[in-house]
Amino acid sequence: MKTIKPIVQIIAAATLAMAGAAHAGVIVNSVASQGLTTQAGANFGSASIARTVPVWSVTDDATLLAFCIDPTTPMFTTTTTYAGTTNAVFDDDVKRLYSQYYSSIDYSGMGQVTGAKRVTALSFQLALWELIADDGNLASGALAVVMSDNGPKAQIIINGAAAMLATAQDESLAIENKYRFTTYAAAGSQSVVTVSAVPEPSSLAMFGLGLAALGFVARRRRG
């Protein structure tokens, strides 16, 4: 009797902790960036032709990446705590982009100037901007780019983003993975989004059965 009840309480507490973790404040730091040249006047309404594509890490979890969803606002480069809000809603194109590519983005080695992981992450960010804040086409809209205006490194990222956009907008492709999106915001800074995998129904069912079994045993022992 004295062992089963604490176990139930521990599991319940852990469940509440996991549910509330997404609301906790986090600190994000830049781990990779690449400058792109956009058409004059097409840089999110700015006359400047330079644009930096950043990828951020969450200091609370070195394996978790945060991607910007508010490119029209500057990003704080000083230590800033961002408050989280769960259940962000995105279009299917964004969900498809994540389901097709997010799992292949690896934080390790991203600091390499020409590393494949870095290119994948930066291409992903550029594609995400297009789907959330623009028209989904890198050749037009608020973030129009001209390949010939960019150097070889930027061209690789642009090509990668274009391929990702084509896949994300292909409605014949299923959204293979389900993610829970959490947005993090700080006053005056860009908002970013992180994701966590939604447990499979079978996993949730097994977890529920386990809790039920523990509760049943606890009641038996109390009796």
Side-chain angles (χ1 to χ4, degrees), residues 1 14 17-20 63 87 129 132 153 157 159 168 180 196-198:
M1 180 175 68
M18 287 187 293
T63 64
N87 301 322
W129 272 351
I132 290 180
K153 294 176 184 176
I157 292 168
N159 281 329
R180 179 181 293 109
S196 56
V198 176

Side-chain angles (χ1 to χ4, degrees), residues 52 59 81-83 86 120 124 129 166 184 196 220:
T52 299
T59 57
T81 300
Y82 291 76
T86 56
T120 300
F124 185 94
W129 272 351
Y184 288 92
S196 56
R220 289 288 300 273

Side-chain angles (χ1 to χ4, degrees), residues 31-36 52-55 67 105 110 112-113 116-128 157-158 161 164:
V31 293
S33 64
Q34 175 65 56
L36 296 177
T52 299
V53 180
V55 175
F67 290 92
I105 300 175
M110 197 176 295
Q112 300 174 18
V113 176
K117 295 173 182 177
R118 176 181 178 277
V119 169
T120 300
L122 292 171
S123 295
F124 185 94
Q125 173 64 92
L126 187 56
L128 186 63
I157 292 168
I158 294 168
M164 289 182 180

Side-chain angles (χ1 to χ4, degrees), residues 70-164:
D70 187 17
T72 60
T73 304
M75 186 76 171
F76 285 146
T77 56
T78 55
T79 299
T80 304
T81 300
Y82 291 76
T85 303
T86 56
N87 301 322
V89 178
F90 293 109
D91 292 338
D92 284 350
D93 290 352
V94 173
K95 295 177 182 178
R96 194 174 292 108
L97 178 72
Y98 269 90
S99 70
Q100 293 292 326
Y101 295 105
Y102 183 75
S103 62
S104 65
I105 300 175
D106 188 347
Y107 175 86
S108 62
M110 197 176 295
Q112 300 174 18
V113 176
T114 58
K117 295 173 182 177
R118 176 181 178 277
V119 169
T120 300
L122 292 171
S123 295
F124 185 94
Q125 173 64 92
L126 187 56
L128 186 63
W129 272 351
E130 280 292 336
L131 293 175
I132 290 180
D134 203 7
D135 62 356
N137 185 346
L138 286 169
S140 63
L143 187 58
V145 295
V146 179
M147 290 293 287
S148 58
D149 290 341
N150 285 275
K153 294 176 184 176
Q155 289 180 2
I156 293 173
I157 292 168
I158 294 168
N159 281 329
M164 289 182 180

